[in-house]
C-alpha cells in the first residue's frame, strides 16, 4: 500500500511540474506577444478592422477649342444604410417619412422602402443598399431626408462616391478625345488625348478611413477624408466642334454611299498646325454601321498612290533638274521598267504633255519618267530629299499608336531597279494620312512645316498651367520659287485636272487626287482593293485650312472608285460648309423695332443681375444662357446638362454663396 501511495505521489508531482512548465511557457509567450510581437499583432488587428481606402480624384475636363465639353467626369453616388446605427426612438420616429421621401424621388412605393428598412433592422444589416447610380442633385436631396440628415452615426446613412467619364458630344471624335481602355490581360490601354495627357487630367487620389463591419463590408469612420483628393487639370483641345461635326457627317455620307470599309478625315489650321477636326469611321461587318473603331488617320500607314507625286515635283524643281514646261511622251499610257509595267489610269495615255500637265492629270508614265530619267544614276540624291522632308520618320505625336512611315533607301539590301520608279507614283513607300497632310500643309504654309497639334493648353479653371505654341518642324521645306510653282499646279488640279469635278467658280481649292491599290501582292492579288484620297487646302489664294480625306475599299461596281469621285466630294463639302454657307443677305427692315417678348425677358434678367446676392438664387425657369451669365457675374462656375431652361440646380436656392464653387444646371 505504501508503495502504491508513493507511485501516486510521483505522478502528482510529475503532473504538477508539467503544469508549472506550461504556465512558464504561457507567461513567456504572453510576454513575447505583449512586448516583442505586440506591435506586429496590434498592427495586424488594426489592418483587419480599420483601413484606408482610396478616393479617386475627379479627372479634369477635355474641352474643344470653342469651349464645348468633349469629356467630363460626372459624380455617381450609392446610398447604403447601417440599420444598427440609429437608436430605436429615432428610427421609429423617422422611418415612415424617410420611406415616403424616397418613394417620391425614386419612384417605388413607400411601403417597399418601409418593409426593407424594418427587415434590415431586424436582420442587423449594417450595409443595406438603398439606391445606386444617383446624380449629385439626387444625392443632396437624400442626404436631407428624415433620419438620414442625422448623419452616419445617428442616422445610419452610408455614402459611397465614384466618378463616371462622359462624352457629351457622343461618339464623334471618340478615338481622338480618347478613353482608358484595357487589353486582354487587364492592363490599361490609354487612347487619344485622354491617354496622352493623363498626367494632367488624372489629379491626385485622396484617402478615407473605413472600419470593417459585418460580412466583410466597410463603413466610413468619419465624415471628413483623411486626405482630400485633388482634381485633375482641364485640357483644352484644338478640336472645333462645328468643323468636327461637318467632317464626321461628310465622311459618313460618302462611306455609306460607296459601301466602303473605313475612312478618315483630318482638317488642320494651316499656320498653327492645330487639328480642328479628325474623324475615323470603320464599318461593323455584322451590323453594317460605322463607328470610331481605330484612329486610321494617325495609325494606318500604307502606300499613298498619286498624292505622293507632290514629292516628285518638289524635288525635281528644287534640284532644277527640269521645269514644269518640259514635255514628255506618255507612250500610249504604258511604260516598262525591268519588265514591269507602269500604266496610266486613262486608256491610251495622254500623248505628249508637259510635266505640269502630267501632274494635273496624275499621269503615272510622265511622273515616273521625270524622276527616273533624272535620278536613275544617283537615286540617293532623290531619296535624300524625301528624308529631308521628314517623310521617313514619325511626327512624334503625343497620342499613342502613330504608324511608322517607310521610305526605301538605296543602301537597303531590298533596293532594286524598281524601287525608284515605283516610289515616283506612290508605291513601295508607306505613310499615314496625317503625315501626308503635314507635308501638303507645309506647301500651303509657304514652305513652313508645322507639327500637328491636338491640345492648345492645360488649365486650372481660368489659370493657364501650360500652353502649347506652334511647333515648327522645318522652317523652309523648299525655296519660295518652288512653292509658287507648286501652288499653281495644285490649283490647276482642281480647275482643269483630275479634280475638275470639284471646281467651283465661287470658291477656290487646291489639292491632289490619289487612287492606290492596296494588298495587291497578297494571295496572288485576290485581296486587292482601292484606297481613294484627296489632300489639299482652301482657299487656294490664301490657305487657312488643309484637309485630307482617305476612303478604303469603296465599291467598284460603277468603276468610279477614284480619288476625285470618292474622296474629293467629302473635301469639297467640308470646305463649302466652313466658308461658303454664308448667312442671308436679305435686308432687315425695322431693325430698331422693339419686340415686347424680348424686352420682357431682358428686363427680368436685368433685374436679377442687378440684385445683390448673398446666397444662391432660384434659377428655375431661366434660360440657360441667362443663368450662366448671372452666375458668372457672381463668381460661380457652371456646368450645363441639356438645352433650354433651367429645370434643376445642384446647389439649392438659399444656400451660401461661395465664389469659384461649381453648380450643375440641368436644362430642358
Amino acid at each position: 500500500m505504501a508503495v502504491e501511495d508513493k507511485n501516486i505521489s510521483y505522478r502528482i508531482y510529475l503532473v504538477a511540474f508539467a503544469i508549472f512548465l506550461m504556465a512558464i511557457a504561457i507567461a513567456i509567450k504572453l510576454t513575447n506577444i505583449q512586448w516583442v510581437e505586440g506591435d506586429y499583432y496590434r498592427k495586424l488587428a488594426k489592418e483587419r478592422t480599420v483601413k484606408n481606402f482610396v478616393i479617386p480624384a475627379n479627372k479634369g475636363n477635355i474641352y474643344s477649342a470653342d469651349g464645348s465639353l468633349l469629356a467630363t467626369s460626372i459624380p455617381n453616388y450609392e446610398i447604403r444604410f447601417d440599420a444598427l446605427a440609429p437608436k430605436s426612438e429615432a428610427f421609429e420616429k423617422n422611418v415612415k417619412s424617410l420611406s415616403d421621401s424616397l418613394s417620391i424621388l425614386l419612384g417605388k412605393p413607400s411601403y417597399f422602402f418601409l418593409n426593407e428598412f424594418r427587415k434590415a433592422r431586424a436582420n442587423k444589416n449594417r450595409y443595406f443598399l438603398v439606391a445606386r447610380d444617383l446624380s449629385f442633385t439626387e444625392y443632396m436631396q437624400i442626404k436631407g431626408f428624415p433620419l438620414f440628415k442625422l448623419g452616419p452615426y445617428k442616422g445610419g446613412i452610408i455614402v459611397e462616391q465614384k466618378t463616371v467619364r462622359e462624352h457629351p458630344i457622343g461618339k464623334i471624335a471618340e478615338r481622338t478625345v480618347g478613353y482608358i481602355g484595357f487589353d486582354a490581360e487587364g492592363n490599361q490601354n490609354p487612347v487619344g488625348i485622354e491617354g496622352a495627357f493623363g498626367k494632367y487630367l488624372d489629379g491626385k487620389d485622396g484617402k478615407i478611413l473605413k472600419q470593417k463591419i459585418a460580412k466583410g463590408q466597410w463603413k466610413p469612420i468619419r465624415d471628413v477624408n483623411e486626405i482630400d483628393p485633388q482634381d485633375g487639370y482641364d485640357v483644352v483641345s484644338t478640336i472645333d466642334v462645328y468643323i468636327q461635326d461637318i467632317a464626321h457627317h461628310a465622311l459618313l455620307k460618302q462611306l455609306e454611299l460607296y459601301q466602303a470599309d473605313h475612312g478618315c478625315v483630318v482638317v488642320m489650321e494651316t499656320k498653327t498646325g492645330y487639328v480642328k477636326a479628325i474623324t475615323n469611321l470603320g464599318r461593323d461587318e455584322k451590323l453594317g454601321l460605322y463607328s470610331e473603331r481605330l484612329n486610321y488617320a494617325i495609325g494606318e500607314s500604307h502606300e499613298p498612290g498619286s498624292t505622293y507625286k507632290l514629292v516628285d515635283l518638289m524635288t525635281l524643281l528644287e534640284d532644277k533638274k527640269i521645269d514644269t514646261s518640259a514635255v514628255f511622251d506618255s507612250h500610249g499610257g504604258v511604260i516598262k521598267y525591268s519588265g514591269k509595267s507602269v500604266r496610266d489610269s486613262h486608256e491610251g495615255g495622254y500623248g505628249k504633255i508637259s510635266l505640269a500637265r502630267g501632274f494635273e492629270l496624275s499621269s503615272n508614265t510622265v511622273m515616273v519618267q521625270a524622276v527616273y530619267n533624272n535620278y536613275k544614276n544617283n537615286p540617293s540624291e532623290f531619296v535624300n530629299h524625301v528624308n529631308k522632308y521628314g517623310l521617313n520618320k514619325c511626327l512624334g505625336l503625343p497620342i499613342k499608336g502613330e504608324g511608322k512611315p517607310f521610305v526605301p533607301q538605296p543602301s537597303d539590301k531590298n533596293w532594286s531597279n524598281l524601287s525608284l520608279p515605283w516610289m515616283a507614283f506612290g508605291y513601295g513607300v508607306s505613310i499615314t494620312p496625317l503625315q501626308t497632310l503635314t507635308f501638303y500643309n507645309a506647301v500651303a504654309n509657304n514652305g513652313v512645316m508645322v507639327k500637328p497639334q491636338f491640345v492648345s493648353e492645360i488649365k486650372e479653371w481660368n489659370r493657364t498651367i501650360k500652353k502649347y505654341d506652334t511647333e515648327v518642324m522645318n522652317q523652309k521645306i523648299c525655296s519660295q520659287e518652288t512653292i509658287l510653282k507648286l501652288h499653281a499646279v495644285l490649283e490647276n488640279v482642281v480647275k482643269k485636272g483630275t479634280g475638275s469635278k470639284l471646281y467651283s467658280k465661287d470658291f477656290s481649292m487646291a489639292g491632289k487626287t490619289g487612287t492606290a491599290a492596296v494588298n495587291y501582292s497578297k494571295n496572288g492579288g485576290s485581296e486587292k482593293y482601292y484606297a481613294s484620297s484627296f489632300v489639299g487646302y482652301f482657299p487656294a489664294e490664301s490657305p487657312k485650312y488643309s484637309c485630307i480625306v482617305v476612303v478604303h475599299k469603296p465599291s467598284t461596281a460603277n468603276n468610279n472608285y477614284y480619288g476625285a469621285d470618292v474622296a474629293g466630294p467629302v473635301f469639297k463639302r467640308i470646305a463649302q460648309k466652313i466658308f461658303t454657307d454664308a448667312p442671308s443677305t436679305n435686308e432687315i427692315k425695322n431693325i430698331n423695332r422693339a419686340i415686347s417678348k424680348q424686352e420682357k425677358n431682358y428686363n427680368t434678367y436685368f433685374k436679377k443681375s442687378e440684385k445683390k446676392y448673398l446666397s444662391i438664387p432660384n434659377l428655375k425657369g431661366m434660360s440657360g444662357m441667362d443663368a450662366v451669365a448671372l452666375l458668372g457675374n457672381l463668381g460661380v462656375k457652371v456646368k450645363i446638362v441639356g438645352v433650354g431652361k433651367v429645370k434643376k440646380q445642384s446647389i439649392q436656392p438659399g444656400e451660401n454663396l461661395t465664389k469659384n464653387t461649381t453648380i450643375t444646371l440641368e436644362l430642358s
Side-chain angles (χ1 to χ4, degrees), residues 321-484:
K321 297 281 187 181
I322 200 170
D323 196 62
T324 53
S325 60
V327 175
F328 290 86
D329 189 341
S330 63
H331 296 287
V334 182
I335 189 169
K336 288 192 174 185
Y337 292 92
S338 299
K340 298 289 185 180
S341 297
V342 175
R343 298 179 181 275
D344 284 327
S345 59
H346 183 265
E347 189 79 25
Y350 302 97
K352 292 184 178 182
I353 55 174
S354 68
L355 178 63
R357 189 62 180 153
F359 181 87
E360 293 159 11
L361 295 173
S362 200
S363 169
N364 293 334
T365 57
V366 169
M367 298 309 298
V368 169
Q369 284 183 83
V371 171
Y372 187 76
N373 292 350
N374 285 284
Y375 294 100
K376 62 183 176 182
N377 295 325
N378 187 11
S380 293
E381 188 179 3
F382 179 83
V383 175
N384 287 343
H385 274 283
V386 180
N387 296 340
K388 179 187 171 185
Y389 304 149
L391 299 178
N392 64 327
K393 56 187 177 183
C394 293
L395 295 168
L397 304 174
I399 294 177
K400 291 185 178 180
E402 184 180 3
K404 293 182 180 180
F406 171 72
V407 175
Q409 305 292 317
S411 58
D412 293 345
K413 62 180 181 180
N414 293 326
W415 181 272
S416 71
N417 291 333
L418 290 175
S419 297
L420 183 61
W422 250 241
M423 191 187 304
F425 68 116
Y427 287 89
V429 293
S430 186
I431 193 170
T432 68
L434 188 56
Q435 289 159 0
T436 298
L437 179 62
T438 302
F439 179 68
Y440 272 76
N441 188 78
V443 175
N445 198 26
N446 283 317
V448 182
M449 180 179 279
V450 293
K451 185 176 181 177
Q453 290 196 172
F454 296 88
V455 167
S456 60
E457 61 180 321
I458 310 295
K459 299 189 76 172
E460 182 184 36
W461 296 109
N462 292 325
R463 183 169 70 95
T464 297
I465 303 299
K466 184 173 183 178
K467 197 167 183 65
Y468 293 88
D469 296 320
T470 298
E471 186 175 335
V472 176
M473 300 172 67
N474 190 328
Q475 193 64 48
K476 198 69 175 175
I477 199 169
C478 63
S479 68
Q480 191 62 24
E481 180 185 357
T482 297
I483 286 291
L484 293 175

